[in-house]
DNA sequence: CTGTTAGCGCCTTCAC
DNA sequence: GTGAAGGCGCTAACAG
């Protein structure tokens, strides 16, 4: 006489289903796990028993014995940022299509959080990790190396020089150069860069600035290089006063653009490397009673529905967010399925969406 | 003679750490698991052995034997929507502060996906679930009921009438009423509602419209009710032509606002229930050569940095996104820690941020 | 205080 | 074809 299953605490187990169906555990496991061979008749009995009991396989137990979790871990700076939200969606879409779940963690641009997040994923035994890392120096990659020892890792959005990994990015440097070039072609020579390295005051020399940039977020450094490239090509001297300093917040961007607007030989154009930098700059313009593109030209990173409905509409750089995520997931999944990791950099194309925020500088 | 641990495949286990430290497995488990008592000396040996081997606890195995995962599951419509991104951040922040990880899944407003997501969370044995469900009718809540049988569940953003659960929302109806009231006070009587129930053509009568709304997203229905409340209070007759029909996309909003602008007795104000509806409406205004607030007034749901930098800045309803998530997590965590589930509705306050997109209607 | 032992739920040889 | 038995890595009683 079997024990009363309805009294069983907790969710029904495979043994209970087996008992209910009057078969052995292995038979129940085979039909429920979808492997091995089971006669149609027993199969049917097991299925209806499972149905009746409301059986759901314990993914934890399954992972324990198989060693795989069919789960990908994703670490990004801020899931609330539309850019990362798009990337994550790309990752989720393609991994789900290939039978994988996704766990995503936000670090809010904090390395401690990033390390903690990596550990969480390792502990939960994900099969692979995709990470947009804030790490740059050799001293900051230990957690990623540790992860690499256990599972395949691919980098997205941000390259890390010290790591030999598959990496999916856009050409930030070239995208920035193209945008600033457009500003220069329109006649601008005093072009503000928002935002720069998060230091109290940017270094006075190009060399130091670049060194500074290398110690910070990869994307920021690349975009700064692109800005300098365009300046160099046009033989426009670099002016440290035109590079934003301080923390990367909307408020700070407003303050810095206000400053650049107040100096004698004021800026006539701004190049913003992020969405919050754009709104921050826009606030400064309004406060100064200036309007674009008449008084000042503006180009920013990360196009959005808002940028298109601004009056006039904003010229922006659009990143292929979904593709970035999709590609990263694809590369990772391929590796999981046995492909040799290419350890190469996959560069996707961004696009400069030309609208109406750029015209010639005002005649001074 | 112990086997060569360095040859061990896979991540180091607690047994290997124990062997390395020369203690019993239980002692290693106790120090690494942070429970029970271990002498300082052995403790130290275990710790350094773990360090040396790069030991990380297998969260799966741990969950298996303890029965808890210290993980919360979250299901939202679209993590890419700034509203949900904010809510999720609120959830993550408070759950992490209380020692819980978070798994978040997006359903993209699709009930099938929502059911699948629920199953994933159940299978992964999360300790509790927070869900912004698209379910409304009694026939659509089976998956939530199934989840409730296993773990505590709390609803966020969207109430579900058929479910007796802790629910964290804002008063959508009142927020909408307040906004529309402001429009009416300014003198408007022809006020467009964007967007409405996703049907090809909204019903001609109030009664049917409301019935229709009840069959769709809870928030949408509430906001529609608020719109009607305000109309009623002002004894303004309801005109079905002023309610958007069709799929809820930016493009569709543009088309519908264009339509409302083209009818003889055209709208002089628009009330938008979502961010994409706002940008869609704005596109229609531009196409019609109209500008706000002079030609038309506008209020929308979900304030953002963009809304503040528009020229003129937009009057918007701001939801307490972070608090919504934080409260939901708090209620859930309290329940997990033994508090009796209140099964009540927690209503948070939204705010109407008055800026400059509303003025009196143009003299016709 | 520490080590031994028995599961957690599932998958997986291996005989029957 | 199907069932019994062992093991994944960990926790938790229970001895000692």
């Amino acid at each position: 006489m079997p024990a009363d299953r309805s009294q069983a605490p907790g969710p029904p187990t495979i043994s209970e289903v087996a008992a209910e169906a009057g078969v052995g555990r292995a038979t129940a496991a085979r039909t429920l796990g979808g492997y091995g061979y089971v006669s149609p008749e027993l199969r049917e009995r097991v299925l209806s028993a499972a149905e009746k009991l409301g059986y759901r396989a314990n993914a934890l137990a399954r992972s324990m014995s198989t060693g795989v979790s069919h789960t990908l871990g994703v670490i990004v700076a801020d899931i609330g940022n539309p850019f990362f939200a798009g990337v994550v969606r790309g990752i989720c879409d393609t991994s789900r299509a290939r039978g994988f779940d996704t766990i995503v963690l936000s670090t809010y641009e904090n390395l401690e959080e990033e390390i903690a997040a990596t550990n969480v994923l390792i502990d939960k035994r994900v099969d692979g990790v995709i990470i947009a890392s804030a790490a740059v120096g050799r001293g900051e990659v230990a957690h990623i190396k540790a992860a690499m020892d256990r599972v395949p890792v691919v980098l997205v959005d941000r390259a890390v020089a010290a790591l030999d990994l598959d990496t999916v990015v856009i050409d930030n440097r070239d995208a920035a150069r193209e945008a600033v070039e457009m500003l220069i072609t329109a006649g601008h020579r005093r072009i503000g860069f928002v935002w720069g390295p998060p230091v109290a005051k940017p270094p006075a020399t190009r060399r130091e600035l670049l060194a500074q940039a290398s110690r910070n977020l990869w994307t920021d450094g690349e975009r700064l290089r692109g800005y300098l490239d365009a300046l160099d090509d046009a033989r426009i001297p670099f002016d440290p006063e035109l590079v934003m300093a301080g923390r990367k917040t909307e408020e700070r961007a407003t303050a810095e653009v206000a400053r650049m607007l107040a100096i004698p030989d004021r800026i006539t154009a701004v190049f913003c490397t992020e969405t919050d930098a754009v709104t921050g700059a826009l606030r400064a313009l309004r406060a100064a009673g200036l309007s674009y593109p008449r008084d000042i030209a503006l180009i920013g990173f990360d196009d959005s529905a808002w940028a298109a409905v601004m009056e006039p509409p904003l010229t922006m750089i659009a990143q292929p967010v979904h593709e970035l995520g999709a590609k990263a997931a694809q590369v990772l999944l391929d590796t999981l399925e046995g492909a040799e990791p290419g350890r190469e950099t996959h560069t996707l194309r961004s696009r400069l969406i030309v609208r109406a925020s750029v015209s010639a500088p005002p005649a001074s």
Side-chain angles (χ1 to χ4, degrees), chain A:
Chain A
M1 181 183 279
D4 184 355
R5 298 295 160 195
S6 63
Q7 291 288 357
T13 72
I14 215 167
S15 307
E16 291 170 24
V17 174
E20 174 74 28
V23 303
R25 281 171 22 190
T27 303
R30 271 190 282 263
T31 97
L32 264 9
Y35 59 92
Y37 204 99
V38 181
S39 71
E41 189 207 356
L42 289 193
R43 168 179 206 73
E44 196 42 54
R45 290 215 326 248
V46 172
L47 254 23
S48 64
E51 172 77 44
K52 175 179 171 191
L53 265 37
Y55 172 81
R56 291 248 94 219
N58 184 332
L60 268 38
R62 179 169 289 173
S63 296
M64 282 239 39
S65 52
T66 59
V68 299
S69 59
H70 278 268
T71 303
L72 260 34
V74 180
I75 301 177
V76 295
D78 183 4
I79 188 62
N81 178 324
F83 169 78
F84 287 114
V87 172
V88 166
R89 176 149 187 189
I91 293 172
C92 291
D93 286 352
T94 97
S95 60
R96 181 166 349 175
R98 290 171 68 168
F100 279 71
D101 299 321
T102 311
I103 296 181
V104 7
L105 269 21
S106 276
T107 65
Y108 303 111
E109 224 63 276
N110 175 228
L111 198 58
E112 306 302 313
E113 297 265 24
E114 184 175 315
I115 293 171
T118 311
N119 286 335
V120 168
L121 295 180
I122 292 300
D123 294 353
K124 285 205 188 304
R125 296 301 191 263
V126 297
D127 295 336
V129 172
I130 296 175
I131 173 169
S133 178
V136 278
R138 277 128 301 279
E140 300 172 339
V141 298
H143 62 294
I144 303 184
K145 286 227 167 101
M148 291 166 61
D149 283 347
R150 294 155 177 271
V151 295
V153 175
V154 355
L155 262 23
V156 70
D157 179 48
R158 282 114 94 127
V160 177
L163 261 20
D164 183 31
L165 243 31
D166 269 306
T167 303
V168 180
V169 294
I170 65 157
D171 190 336
N172 287 279
R173 182 171 183 170
D174 196 59
R177 189 196 48 68
E178 180 186 5
V180 176
E181 210 161 66
M182 181 182 187
L183 259 10
I184 293 172
T185 302
H188 298 272
R189 295 180 61 84
R190 300 290 289 167
I191 304 169
F193 183 85
V194 181
W195 34 59
V199 290
K201 192 173 187 311
T205 72
R206 266 187 60 120
R207 175 181 299 274
E208 279 178 46
L209 181 63
L210 247 13
Q212 181 69 257
S214 304
R215 264 172 272 131
N216 286 289
L217 217 48
W218 182 79
T219 41
D220 287 357
E222 288 292 294
R223 291 170 192 184
L224 179 56
R225 283 190 181 82
Y227 166 79
L228 295 175
D229 286 347
L231 255 34
D232 289 350
D233 288 349
R235 306 195 189 295
I236 296 174
F238 157 70
D239 181 350
E241 284 216 282
L242 306 193
V243 173
M244 167 172 162
R247 296 187 55 226
K248 302 191 289 182
T249 65
E250 187 186 35
E251 294 68 34
R252 189 84 193 123
T254 301
E256 283 288 277
V257 171
R259 178 181 63 71
M260 297 179 204
L261 249 15
I263 59 184
D265 189 9
R266 80 156 171 90
I267 52 172
T268 62
V270 213
F271 173 60
C272 301
T273 65
E274 218 157 286
T275 248
D276 289 349
V278 174
T279 55
L282 255 10
R283 280 174 190 273
L285 295 197
R286 172 180 302 159
L290 265 25
S291 59
Y292 67 89
R294 197 179 44 122
D295 305 313
I296 193 160
L298 190 155
I299 299 184
F301 248 91
D302 291 337
D303 190 37
S304 70
W306 284 106
V309 297
M310 292 289 291
E311 193 53 52
L314 264 23
T315 292
M316 301 282 277
I317 294 167
Q319 297 198 60
V321 291
H322 194 276
E323 291 75 10
L324 237 18
K327 182 70 182 178
Q330 180 206 315
V331 171
L332 181 55
L333 260 10
D334 287 348
T335 304
L336 290 180
E337 287 174 1
E340 270 309 301
R343 304 179 185 292
E344 60 189 284
T345 298
H346 309 263
T347 305
L348 270 38
R349 290 187 58 80
S350 63
R351 282 182 315 135
L352 179 63
I353 312 279
V354 178
R355 285 195 278 248
S357 59
V358 178
S359 63
S364 60

